Amino acid sequence: MSHRQSLDTICIQGGWQPQNGEPRVLPIYQSTTFKYETSEQMGRLFDLEENGYFYTRLANPTNDAVAEKICKLEGGAAAMLTSSGQAANMYAVLNICSAGDHIVSAATIYGGTSNLFTVTLKRFGIQCTLVDPDAPAEELDKAFQDNTKAVFGETIANPALVVLDLEKFAGLAHSHGVPFIVDNTFATPINCRPIEWGADIVTHSTTKYMDGHAMAVGGCIVDSGNFDWEAHRDKFPGLTTPDDSYHGVVYTEKFGKGAYITKATAQLMRDMGSIQSPQNAFLLNVGLETLHLRVPRHCDNALKVARYLKSRDDVAWVNYPGLEGDKYYDLARKYMPDGTCGVISFGLKGGRKAAAVFMDKLKLAAIVTHVADARTSVLHPASHTHRQLSDEQLREAGVDPAMIRLSVGIEGVEDIIGDIEQALA
Ligand SMILES: *Cc1c(COP(=O)(O)O)cnc(C)c1O
């Protein structure tokens, strides 16, 4: 096929390509192992001399088909699934950073990722400088060091709903000869394809909109294949010099645009093993088949709910990047003109206490930790994820004590608004 397929078609038919007489639906290869006729054949797989399956920790046909679908949706060159979004971000960084290295990350990122970068990776000897994503480029430039190896940010930050200026961050990363890694979980490739704006590597928590039904925890890493590792070979010896654990293979020489993902599979998956189970990959694929239908509906519903909240006298503030007048409205129009996401944050005039009472009164929206699935859900960070912090500490962490995080689902929007209305009353 010469023309680029529409995202709708890729959602349905991308990835699994059945041959004559094979199942139309992606099968679950519920097998840890794969059979060979000769010991020599198997040996060649271990040497990365040939492509093939031998053990599901390294590769599985169900997982590969789903990774291929996400790769096509993002417009990448190669992709892999991981057991979770956390594993995806960890591998994305560890694949190019070792002890003594440094990364620059937007400060407004998912709490789990922030903890990974500033606490756990620090124990591995990797330092992270968190930066204000809205600072001018000249200011952000000061965060770079000689040992900086990557720049990280989220397209739409969870839960701050900050829209990242992708071109600004890509320009900074590239001026320092390092790749730009973007977590595109909230926007999804339906609304934004960061590679088209200069991102080199895209990660996902597929647990959210991609699965979309709150059934399976998972993650994905997509490599654009665009970053020229060879041009900065001193910074990335892991990709550009022989790997002794694979008979001296040089990933960039042998795998070209597949170098980054092949290395992550061959080394990190082999040694750390955060694989997605084929069962979960199958469920993820079912979710992906309707991603192009669900995401616009999440956005339509969320915009209506945001406008409704904004019109209420008892609501103090509303953050939603798709809402006219929002601080990030212009960036959202630029990078995601068709819509942003289904998550809104807002505060009630009654503050923290009113938030708890309001949430207890909701009937349709459930109090859950999860976001970004078909069902409307709600969370009060001050009472839940950040409950150990005082109001002052909360503000320092960028969380307003009154903040309610509302993940708008794809139910009838009049029912969602009706539920909010009765709870506010
Ligand atoms: C949830 C989330 C993660 C972590 O993903 P898990 O699948 O829960 O491990 C990472 N980044 C973002 C933006 C998220 O929303």
Side-chain angles (χ1 to χ4, degrees), residues 83-87 89 110 113 154 156 158 183 185-186 205-208 217-219 371:
S83 55
S84 66
Q86 286 300 110
N89 284 328
Y110 176 67
T113 312
E154 293 176 5
I156 307 174
N158 173 13
D183 181 330
T185 298
F186 265 28
S205 165
T206 62
T207 318
K208 314 293 167 54
V217 173
V371 287

Side-chain angles (χ1 to χ4, degrees), residues 62-317:
T62 306
N63 291 22
D64 278 4
V66 181
E68 172 64 20
K69 177 177 283 188
I70 298 173
C71 187
K72 281 212 165 88
L73 287 172
E74 289 287 5
M80 68 197 284
L81 296 188
T82 57
S83 55
S84 66
Q86 286 300 110
N89 284 328
M90 177 176 72
Y91 280 21
V93 171
L94 284 187
N95 203 32
I96 46 174
C97 292
S98 319
D101 288 341
H102 170 257
I103 62 171
V104 173
S105 172
T108 46
I109 52 174
Y110 176 67
T113 312
S114 175
N115 206 69
L116 168 69
F117 288 173
T118 61
V119 180
T120 299
L121 288 189
K122 194 172 169 186
R123 290 200 197 109
F124 286 28
I126 297 166
Q127 302 287 328
C128 175
T129 302
L130 296 176
V131 295
D132 171 2
D134 299 330
E138 312 77 67
E139 192 62 34
L140 295 171
D141 204 60
K142 295 181 190 146
F144 286 80
Q145 306 176 2
D146 290 342
N147 57 348
T148 303
K149 297 294 170 72
V151 174
F152 183 92
E154 293 176 5
T155 338
I156 307 174
N158 173 13
L161 302 177
V162 169
V163 176
L164 200 66
D165 188 340
L166 297 172
E167 284 188 316
K168 178 177 74 178
F169 272 77
L172 274 165
H174 297 156
S175 74
H176 288 274
V178 301
F180 177 32
I181 305 172
V182 176
D183 181 330
N184 196 30
T185 298
F186 265 28
T188 84
I190 301 302
N191 284 342
C192 181
R193 282 167 302 287
I195 291 171
E196 293 173 0
W197 299 101
D200 300 289
I201 291 145
V202 174
T203 61
H204 280 279
S205 165
T206 62
T207 318
K208 314 293 167 54
Y209 291 114
M210 284 193 166
D211 165 47
H213 301 79
M215 292 188 300
V217 173
C220 184
I221 308 174
V222 180
D223 177 23
S224 66
N226 293 338
F227 191 81
D228 190 350
W229 308 106
E230 286 285 348
H232 307 282
R233 40 181 311 125
D234 296 348
K235 279 196 208 294
F236 305 105
L239 282 153
T240 58
T241 60
D243 175 4
D244 293 335
S245 73
Y246 268 110
H247 306 301
V249 66
V250 178
Y251 291 99
T252 46
E253 279 172 15
K254 194 162 166 99
F255 299 104
K257 284 183 180 293
Y260 178 89
I261 293 294
T262 304
K263 176 178 181 289
T265 303
Q267 291 180 342
L268 298 176
M269 265 320 170
R270 178 195 62 187
D271 298 350
M272 298 179 180
S274 317
I275 56 152
Q276 189 163 133
S277 79
Q279 283 272 355
N280 277 5
F282 174 85
L283 291 171
L284 169 57
N285 191 52
V286 176
L288 287 167
E289 287 182 0
T290 57
L291 186 69
H292 60 302
L293 300 176
R294 290 182 288 105
V295 165
R297 178 63 181 267
H298 278 287
C299 295
D300 282 355
N301 280 1
L303 184 57
K304 286 178 184 144
V305 171
R307 284 186 180 142
Y308 170 75
L309 289 168
K310 189 92 186 175
S311 75
R312 297 275 317 199
D313 284 341
D314 37 11
V315 173
W317 54 270

